[in-house]
Amino acid sequence: MSLTIGTMMALSFVVSLIGLAFLIWAVASKQFRVDQSDAEVIFSGAEGEDHAPDDPTSFGFQEDAEPGEGTDTRHRKLIFALIGFGTFWLVLGSIFGVIASLKLHLPDWLTGSAPLSFGRMRTMHLNSVIYGWLSLAGIGVAMFLVPRLFKTPLRGVNLAWGGLVLWNIGVAVGVYAIATGWTDGMEWLEIPWQVDILLAAGGACFAVPLVLTAVNRNVHHIYVTAWYYLGALVWFPVLFVIGNLPIHTGVQGATVNWWFAHNVLGLWLTPIGVGAAYYVLPKIIGKPIYSYRLSLLGFWALALFYSQVGMHHLIGGPVPTWVVTLSVVQSVMMFIPVIAVAVNQHVLWATNLWAFKQSLPLRFVAFGAVMYTLASFQGSMEAVRAVNTVTHFTHYTVAHAHLGAYAFVSLVLFGTVYYLMPILTGRLWPAPRLIALHFWLVAIGFGVYFFSLSIGGWLQGLAMLDASRDWLESMQLMQPYLEGRSVGGTLMTLGHLLFAINLLSLVFAPRRSTDAVGTATPATSAS
């Protein structure tokens, strides 16, 4: 273990130094001298004024645009391309996922080809949605929000276009390699490290423009959304490079594997989702978040407590006990940042239900924000040894993973895309009812998926712990719950197809007209 533990300790030390440098800079530049008025920097009006709801689909276009909105043609096309390619990988990955799910209870279906086997289909699904959909769409959202937050145009647009090409080639080659059986053999790290070089280069091309935009900002205070995005830009490159170094094997490989896999969710996808929600929720409602100081506490607590939580996946394994115990403690400490986010975001939308009823994008984002709270609380409890003993090696863990990566991050991204695309293109969504149908398909589909695997996984775990029962019985009792998984997955996939159709329909929708401007109703007078 000396190589892995030494590497991780040295890496943690370097990352801590970077974090300390950011902290010192933040204190020196008075970033922590905040009051509630700093929560209003995302609004275009003066502080203390009433802000109109900002959702063109539900309330019409705003009369004025924010500085740094990103109206340059290449910038707009870049964001559309990022979201478009992300949607392609979402649909393709969902198809892979449904095939893999069906094969769990229809094992004799599609047996004539190795790429169609469960092991490869499931892995192709995972990498398509993590690196294709969630990463590309998340970067697209960041390319939209960062210039708006810093009141300056996006720098290095051409470099970002190069990143889009490299990243898509990397994902495509990686998924094809998995289909042919060429993988690195570790969950979330299956794409061969030789192909990962393309993803690393593409990621660098994405990061540089965002960092340059932050450096050239025209605002003093950094809003909490930007803190989450800047944090992700520091954390993910370190995770990706170290996790993909071809030097980890055996127990060392398992340790790095779950250090990487869990941190991709917590230090890459979580900042994307939470950061977007911190912007979209108050913008649509027209009111600032409940407590701005609490939002910054949530960010720094995430940075402090999350980095080692993945080791609870190795409870019972041949790893040092202190590593697992540290993970359990940090998992429980995650209640702090999660409660901070929950108080801010849930109080905001729950006290403005009129907006929740009227705004379709808000429904997605608010639903996703609630799922973040539930996923985090469930994850903290799942790390406790008494619970982990039952849930480990069961389908319960699969349900939990989808609660975080899908119900939280994907739902927030859906809502953010539905919010930003009319602003970006000057076109209203031509079929709002299809957006509502999309919401209900993914919400109901996920509910069926999650409860099927959660209930079935718990019963599976109890059966495996019962020495008086045959192990095969624990597999047989999962049959109806696996069928429920397939039903839920199919409904979600239909929702993803509707999402793609909605994006395509927006391309052919008419541009904004003067009678669609300034129709928003102030938040204080809405009923």
Side-chain angles (χ1 to χ4, degrees):
M1 288 294 293
S2 58
L3 176 62
T4 297
I5 297 299
T7 301
M8 292 179 63
M9 293 299 290
L11 173 62
S12 298
F13 178 71
V14 171
V15 173
S16 297
L17 289 179
I18 296 174
L20 180 62
F22 270 111
L23 183 61
I24 294 173
W25 171 83
V27 173
S29 61
K30 300 179 181 180
Q31 291 293 325
F32 288 156
R33 295 185 180 180
V34 298
D35 54 41
Q36 190 58 21
S37 63
D38 290 312
E40 301 193 26
V41 298
I42 61 173
F43 299 107
S44 56
E47 293 181 4
E49 290 185 357
D50 291 335
H51 307 290
D54 184 12
D55 175 15
T57 303
S58 305
F59 308 111
F61 287 104
Q62 297 289 319
E63 293 183 0
D64 55 345
E66 291 185 359
E69 182 173 338
T71 56
D72 174 78
T73 301
R74 285 187 62 78
H75 183 188
R76 293 199 306 270
K77 290 182 178 179
L78 171 66
I79 297 172
F80 199 97
L82 284 163
I83 294 172
F85 277 107
T87 304
F88 166 78
W89 289 113
L90 170 67
V91 173
L92 184 62
S94 300
I95 294 172
F96 293 153
V98 170
I99 293 174
S101 181
L102 289 170
K103 290 181 74 65
L104 286 173
H105 54 90
L106 297 173
D108 295 327
W109 181 56
L110 299 178
T111 58
S113 175
L116 295 176
S117 62
F118 170 80
R120 297 190 189 181
M121 277 285 116
R122 190 264 178 188
T123 308
M124 292 161 66
H125 158 72
L126 174 65
N127 286 272
S128 295
V129 296
I130 295 298
Y131 298 110
W133 156 242
L134 292 172
S135 293
L136 281 177
I139 293 168
V141 168
M143 292 290 183
F144 174 78
L145 292 182
V146 167
R148 291 167 68 90
L149 291 168
F150 292 138
K151 313 292 187 186
T152 186
L154 180 70
R155 269 43 174 204
V157 176
N158 291 335
L159 186 61
W161 273 102
L164 175 65
V165 174
L166 290 173
W167 191 275
N168 274 293
I169 292 175
V171 175
V173 174
V175 171
Y176 176 77
I178 293 169
T180 62
W182 178 29
T183 82
D184 283 346
M186 293 192 293
E187 192 170 5
W188 292 66
L189 289 166
E190 293 94 348
I191 293 178
W193 67 266
Q194 296 90 338
V195 180
D196 286 323
I197 296 173
L198 286 173
L199 294 176
C205 293
F206 288 139
V208 170
L210 293 172
V211 171
L212 289 176
T213 303
V215 170
N216 291 278
R217 68 187 190 278
N218 291 321
V219 296
H220 170 70
H221 181 73
I222 299 177
Y223 184 68
V224 62
T225 293
W227 275 113
Y228 276 99
Y229 286 164
L230 292 175
L233 289 177
V234 173
W235 297 322
F236 184 67
V238 175
L239 292 170
F240 191 80
V241 171
I242 297 298
N244 283 286
L245 289 176
I247 60 175
H248 311 295
T249 58
V251 175
Q252 295 96 325
T255 305
V256 173
N257 183 186
W258 284 109
W259 171 78
F260 171 84
H262 227 290
N263 282 333
V264 166
L265 177 60
L267 299 180
W268 173 238
L269 300 181
T270 292
I272 287 174
V274 174
Y278 263 127
Y279 183 90
V280 176
L281 286 173
K283 284 290 287 184
I284 291 180
I285 295 172
K287 295 181 179 180
I289 56 178
Y290 178 75
S291 171
Y292 191 70
R293 287 189 176 92
L294 198 58
S295 70
L296 293 179
L297 172 65
F299 167 76
W300 288 105
L302 174 74
L304 179 62
F305 297 133
Y306 200 94
S307 63
Q308 300 299 325
V309 302
M311 297 303 106
H312 70 254
H313 284 274
L314 300 175
I315 291 178
V319 296
T321 303
W322 70 266
V323 174
V324 175
T325 301
L326 175 64
S327 174
V328 174
V329 172
Q330 290 201 331
S331 296
V332 175
M333 293 300 292
M334 276 298 297
F335 276 105
I336 296 175
V338 173
I339 291 174
V341 172
V343 169
N344 261 324
Q345 298 185 356
H346 303 340
V347 169
L348 179 61
W349 69 263
T351 55
N352 293 276
L353 290 177
W354 61 268
F356 184 85
K357 296 175 182 178
Q358 290 182 250
S359 174
L360 293 171
L362 183 63
R363 294 181 197 175
F364 284 92
V365 179
F367 185 91
V370 172
M371 293 303 105
Y372 170 64
T373 303
L374 297 179
S376 299
F377 284 177
Q378 184 190 42
S380 295
M381 295 307 299
E382 199 174 345
V384 177
R385 285 181 171 87
V387 178
N388 191 276
T389 300
V390 179
T391 61
H392 206 34
F393 302 121
T394 71
H395 288 277
Y396 186 96
T397 305
V398 179
H400 169 66
H402 283 76
L403 181 62
Y406 184 81
F408 159 44
V409 185
S410 285
L411 267 291
V412 169
L413 287 177
F414 287 144
T416 305
V417 169
Y418 281 131
Y419 164 76
L420 70 85
M421 291 306 291
I423 297 174
L424 196 68
T425 63
R427 297 180 171 96
L428 293 174
W429 296 103
R433 290 186 178 181
L434 290 184
I435 300 177
L437 181 58
H438 173 204
F439 174 79
W440 288 112
L441 280 173
V442 297
I444 294 174
F446 174 76
V448 173
Y449 184 102
F450 177 77
F451 286 109
S452 295
L453 291 188
S454 295
I455 296 171
W458 187 266
L459 296 176
Q460 180 189 13
L462 293 176
M464 288 194 294
L465 291 173
D466 188 347
S468 65
R469 302 170 69 176
D470 188 85
W471 181 83
L472 184 59
E473 185 179 344
S474 68
M475 300 294 102
Q476 293 172 334
L477 66 83
M478 281 299 303
Q479 176 80 13
Y481 301 104
L482 293 176
E483 292 172 354
R485 167 183 175 154
S486 295
V487 171
T490 300
L491 290 175
M492 289 187 283
T493 300
L494 291 175
H496 304 161
L497 289 170
L498 275 182
F499 181 60
I501 291 171
N502 285 332
L503 282 177
L504 287 175
S505 67
L506 188 67
V507 176
F508 302 101
R511 291 187 178 275
R512 63 187 290 184
S513 57
T514 55
D515 58 354
V517 177
T519 59
T521 305
T524 53
S525 63
S527 59

